Amino acid sequence: MGLPDLYVRNGRLVTSAEVFAGGVLVAGGRIVEVVRGNPDRPAAETIDARGLLVLPGLVDPHVHFSEPGRGHWEGFATGSRAAAAGGVTTGVEMPLNASPPTINAEALAMKRAAARQSIVDHGLWGGLVTDNRADLADLHAGGVTAFKAFMCTGSFDFPRADDLVLADGMATIARLGSLVAVHAEDEEMTRRLTADLRAAGRRDCKAWGEARPVIAELSAIRSAIEMAERSGARLHVVHVSSAAGIDLISAAKRRGVPVTAETCPHYLVFSEGDLERLGPLAKCAPPLRAQQEVEALWERVLDGAVDIIASDHSPCLWEEKAAGDDDIFEAWGGISGLQSTLPAMLTEGVHRRGLPLAALVRMTATNPARIFGFAGRKGELAAGCDADIVIVDPDAETVLTADQLQYRNRHSVYVGSAMRGAVKRTLLRGLTIFCEGQIMPDVPPGRFLAGPGAELKTLEGPQSRWV
């Protein structure tokens, strides 16, 4: 091997299995050696990580950049910069909130064109909706990472998949060898509760949670698991907000059902009291839960029952939030949180509750890479992997301000939060893209990461999926 391009040395390396003093050598954008201790090693560039953590770049499989069509909400340009500022080097963008949604080959082509603005690597979701079952094979061949379906009324022109469509779609997706994720809230229950509350004149923030109780989440999770068990489909349940929901998934795993569980930082940091305190800014679906539910969910995280922690970054214009000031049902339901996942989990998990750093890496990097088909290239500090690295000061104390946000619309429920742990530098394939609060100038675009089975024309090699 010639002279390495980069030596990140003298840090505390965190892998999915252990934490140790050491560094990594990088050449050609990949890690060529994981070094233990702090030996002198020649390299074209050296970064001294003394006193800092060295983690694999986060893999966030649940982000909404709302492009094409709603780039004024976020877009790949600003969304990917927020990712870099938060230590996220790979994001998988959801098929909804854009116009058109990614539910056929034509929409996927538009999405891929918009995604060329991203400065981090990215995969794309395809959608499963009421009327696009005939398009699933084309989406798969075009490189989508997985498929997303709503079990309740969804967003704009992204209709929910009823039970017949969802079951049939799962069978098709299983045959394709892909994965289906569900937004699990029971349609009949949430629709009727919402109608009853509104008929009673309820418009307050607390009514939002009452319209979407934990039982609605559990009903939908049970149904999705039963369908996955019958079809053999790999199932991923996104943004689980309750400990009982995680328990249902854990029980299914023990039966051999191929199902994985995701929760989000906002369900681990905030509670229903914060929705009443902050108003529509804290509205999301499923809603924030009672504080005792937050602690029970943390117990499942600490027990290793949660596979993934993902942001569910879902931005909007301020007026879409302010629309709920007098009627919570009118506000946009989503949390802008991509930039805050890592500091929030260091604060609430590692420092406050003793979450092992290796477990944090598993849930935010290694497991997402494995589940969504990027293992061997993403999510781990290991020889042969892309040199996606985040360097973190674990003890830096900050209070998040709006001017620090890279989002197009700089509002977030996390603004004003005291954090212990800060991203100092983010590297994508060995190149620094964020350092000390600033996005680097002239950062090249990230790469599109095609899902298994893609029939793409612009490949690095005959068997490559890494465009």
Side-chain angles (χ1 to χ4, degrees), residues 109-452:
M110 294 175 67
K111 178 77 77 173
R112 285 195 58 192
R116 292 183 188 128
Q117 304 169 80
S118 177
I119 67 167
V120 300
D121 288 354
H122 49 279
L124 299 174
W125 286 84
L128 169 61
V129 297
T130 298
D131 55 358
N132 80 324
R133 283 169 287 174
D135 295 295
L136 299 180
D138 285 346
L139 287 166
H140 180 64
V144 300
T145 301
F147 294 88
K148 170 72 176 293
F150 268 72
M151 298 179 73
C152 59
T153 299
S155 169
F156 302 116
D157 44 3
F158 196 88
R160 76 179 187 95
D162 61 31
D163 286 353
L164 176 61
V165 169
L166 184 56
D168 190 40
M170 279 190 182
T172 298
I173 291 164
R175 288 194 296 270
L176 293 170
S178 190
L179 172 150
V180 60
V182 294
H183 177 128
E185 291 184 285
D186 184 274
E187 167 69 9
E188 178 70 9
M189 197 177 301
T190 56
R191 181 180 59 79
R192 292 186 64 179
L193 285 169
T194 298
D196 289 348
L197 285 160
R198 300 203 74 170
R202 294 287 300 280
R203 305 287 188 271
D204 54 289
C205 289
K206 193 172 182 181
W208 177 248
E210 292 177 20
R212 308 178 90 90
V214 169
I215 191 173
E217 180 175 70
L218 302 182
S219 174
I221 291 174
R222 287 190 192 96
S223 179
I225 288 171
E226 289 172 2
M227 293 183 201
E229 200 163 12
R230 289 196 302 268
S231 67
R234 288 192 296 136
L235 174 66
H236 182 65
V237 185
V238 297
H239 50 50
V240 181
S241 67
S242 62
I246 299 296
D247 291 345
L248 286 175
I249 295 166
S250 296
K253 287 179 182 178
R254 291 192 291 271
R255 299 198 306 271
V257 182
V259 56
T260 47
E262 167 196 303
T263 193
C264 305
H266 43 270
Y267 297 118
L268 297 166
V269 175
F270 302 103
S271 70
E272 62 185 9
D274 293 300
L275 176 57
E276 296 182 58
R277 176 176 62 89
L278 296 170
L281 193 64
K283 178 184 173 181
C284 55
L288 301 177
R289 303 301 188 190
Q291 186 60 43
Q292 60 264 33
E293 188 65 66
V294 174
E295 295 306 325
L297 188 57
W298 265 115
E299 290 177 9
R300 303 316 187 267
V301 169
L302 294 170
D303 287 343
V306 172
D307 297 288
I308 290 175
I309 296 176
S311 69
D312 190 10
H313 178 67
S314 186
C316 65
L317 299 176
W318 176 253
E319 46 262 42
E320 267 89 21
K321 283 294 189 183
D325 286 344
D326 297 320
D327 182 351
I328 191 61
F329 293 100
E330 295 299 321
W332 176 253
I335 300 289
S336 293
L338 176 61
Q339 196 171 322
S340 300
T341 293
L342 185 51
M345 291 301 91
L346 286 166
T347 303
E348 293 292 333
V350 174
H351 291 301
R352 189 159 296 169
R353 293 175 174 84
L355 177 68
L357 285 166
L360 178 61
V361 162
R362 281 196 299 276
M363 289 182 286
T364 58
T366 310
N367 283 349
R370 171 182 57 81
I371 291 166
F372 290 94
F374 308 142
R377 287 289 294 271
K378 303 294 183 183
E380 191 64 279
L381 297 178
C385 288
D386 287 350
D388 299 347
I389 299 166
V390 56
I391 300 175
V392 173
D393 183 342
D395 295 312
E397 296 185 354
T398 61
V399 176
L400 184 66
T401 59
D403 65 312
Q404 295 169 330
L405 296 174
Q406 297 287 333
Y407 311 143
R408 185 175 300 278
N409 296 285
R410 297 186 175 188
H411 55 81
S412 172
V413 71
Y414 291 94
V415 169
S417 295
M419 306 279 197
R420 184 180 173 195
V423 174
K424 307 300 288 183
R425 185 188 292 246
T426 303
L427 300 94
L428 178 67
R429 284 177 267 107
L431 176 69
T432 295
I433 60 175
F434 173 84
C435 186
E436 298 292 348
Q438 300 294 321
I439 300 293
M440 296 295 97
D442 303 319
V443 175
R447 293 178 178 171
F448 173 56
L449 309 179

Side-chain angles (χ1 to χ4, degrees), residues 81-104:
R81 283 157 174 76
V88 176
T89 52
T90 300
V92 189
E93 209 264 346
M94 282 287 176
L96 61 147
N97 300 351
S99 182
T102 313
I103 57 175
N104 55 43

